Amino acid sequence: MSSELLTERRDTTLVLTLRGAANRNSLSAQACAAGIEAINNAADEPGVHCIVLHGDGAHFCAGADPHALGHDEAGPGGFEAAFDGLIDVMRSSPKPVIAAVEGHAVDAGFVLALACDVVIAADDACFSWTQPQAAAALTLQLPRPLAMQLLWLTEALSARRLHGMGLANEVVPPGEALAEALRWGRKLAGVPADRIAAAKEWFRSRS
């Protein structure tokens, strides 16, 4: 069964939950398309100040659902086009997007977390890359020496190592990533929307 993306409002934060327990929340094209729609809608909703993305249960996202690869359920381009579209709307949205990472963030799940504006990771979270044939997305996100290490050795990175490199904002006890992300959402609700949007656009224009 393919994963799905659930949406829920918590005060001024839109929570997006990737759910697919049978495949550790692997991404399907349908879930990507649902994320694109939800984030685009949030951009025009004045009551939404922040978006939080997390995985249901013990893991964030185990990458692309192998059953989705090569299928055209999301239209031309299939999964790859849908995933690229999701990353693009996350970066271009004027609203801040926060990743709440528990457990594994693998391949496309790793890229998805790093594409967020803020990363909150559980202390036992790990980030890994196992697909050297699709390196472009990872090399755009990470310093070259680290990207090469991951692509060659496929070693997992701990949350604390990512934090030490400035790629994660906070490391929290296991099970607390979503709660901390929601606290960030409440703090960001007090920041002028134009300041947040301008900062995101500045970084996007230089990526």
Side-chain angles (χ1 to χ4, degrees), residues 133-144:
Q133 74 277 14
L138 190 68
T139 56
L140 288 174
Q141 299 286 336
L142 296 174
R144 178 183 174 87

Side-chain angles (χ1 to χ4, degrees), residues 7 14 18 21 24 32 47 54 70 85 96 98 121 133 149 163 165 173 176-177 183 187-188 204:
T7 62
L14 176 66
L18 184 62
R24 297 192 302 177
C32 292
H54 79 118
I98 301 174
Q133 74 277 14
Q149 176 183 335
H163 182 261
M165 294 184 296
E176 293 294 320
R183 282 191 284 271
K187 289 190 295 184
L188 290 172
R204 185 168 182 260

